[in-house]
Amino acid sequence: MATASAPHQTVRRPGGRSARVRAAVHQAVKEMLAEDTGDQLTIPAVATRAGVHPTTVYRRWGSVGDLLTDVATSRFSGDLVVPDSGSLREDLERYAADLARDLSDPDTLALVRAIVGAAGENADVCRAERQDQLEAILDREHARGNKQAPTVERAVDGLLAPLYYRAVFTSQTPTPEWARSLVAHLFPE
Amino acid sequence: MATASAPHQTVRRPGGRSARVRAAVHQAVKEMLAEDTGDQLTIPAVATRAGVHPTTVYRRWGSVGDLLTDVATSRFSGDLVVPDSGSLREDLERYAADLARDLSDPDTLALVRAIVGAAGENADVCRAERQDQLEAILDREHARGNKQAPTVERAVDGLLAPLYYRAVFTSQTPTPEWARSLVAHLFPE
């Protein structure tokens, strides 16, 4: 029922406006990163692009670092599938190849770089779920009694680290073939 | 001899003013990164801190990315010594431990993060000389006929990558002890 205090209100689920603002602001951030104009991302510029008032953005996210952290958290959640082929080596090869494909996408890489620059330790969000998933693959294997399964630390140093390093610090593309080749080094000959 | 056209000129080497401007601007960038105010580094803010006109900074460096690249190039050149103990493993362990110490310095890390955020592929300057030095250690060893020496790619993936990854993407400190432990994995048992 429309009331005098909210004459223009249309029927929407609770939180609808808040969710729309978030979607518009996230979309603006992604577009600005993809355009790669060389300009720095600022909250007023994001607000203008999203069609919302800068105060709304400041009130909700506080800083560019916090905003990018929120964008990255939703971008890097649930996007990769944890494989379970029955073979640990095959699962690790698939997982590494999927991550290589993801990190060679220019838009993904732009977001990773922006968050490293703006959010310091929050850059963790770019890889926290990947590490959890790697851990799940290895834990499952340890539970199956596979004594050859590497430790999580070895797998992080030997798979995640070269993938992110090559993507972020070099001009080489992390290819799926190269990513798969990293897995061999985790298993003693 | 003082001339009418330069009455206040004192005796300085050619390029003296230019070198002073560069030093002042570099120092301003380092201080602002070290203070970690959460504000983004902008050319007007750097110029104010350095006591120079923004136009001077724009004319010389063009963008924050180019300016940070210049600061990083001078920061990451010639700072690590290439060890030559006669033992490859020992040399790699020393090199990895030195790099871990460098990357666990908050000011170094702030510069690395800022350049990843602002300079895209130029983030290469943070590690190009380190890779050259690693290559020098390995080339020397191959020239000595050591067949056990790992390839440059293996050493980059197995040493440089985990060091930069841990520093930039995690809240763990890359300790010298952990860095040394990475070397063992480069040699088949």
Side-chain angles (χ1 to χ4, degrees), chain B residues 10-28:
Chain B
T10 52
V11 181
R12 292 192 195 269
R13 61 178 178 79
R17 182 173 182 280
S18 169
R20 285 197 307 283
V21 166
R22 183 166 185 260
V25 169
H26 278 214
Q27 183 59 27

Side-chain angles (χ1 to χ4, degrees), chain A residues 40-41 112-113 116-117 120-121 123-124 127 153-154 156-157 160-162 164-166 168-169 171 178 182 185, chain B residues 40-41 113 116-117 120-121 123-124 127 153-154 156-157 160-162 164-166 168-169 171 178 182 185:
Chain A
Q40 282 180 299
L41 205 76
V112 170
R113 284 178 162 152
V116 167
E121 288 195 3
D124 197 62
R127 59 95 217 175
E153 180 170 306
R154 270 300 291 148
V156 169
D157 292 344
L160 295 193
Y164 281 84
Y165 176 83
R166 186 171 281 204
V168 168
F169 285 103
S171 50
W178 166 76
L182 293 169
H185 299 294
Chain B
Q40 282 178 298
L41 205 75
R113 285 177 161 151
V116 167
E121 288 195 3
D124 197 64
R127 58 95 218 171
E153 180 169 308
R154 271 299 292 147
V156 169
D157 292 343
L160 294 193
Y164 280 84
Y165 176 83
R166 185 170 282 203
V168 168
F169 285 103
S171 51
W178 166 76
L182 293 168
H185 299 294

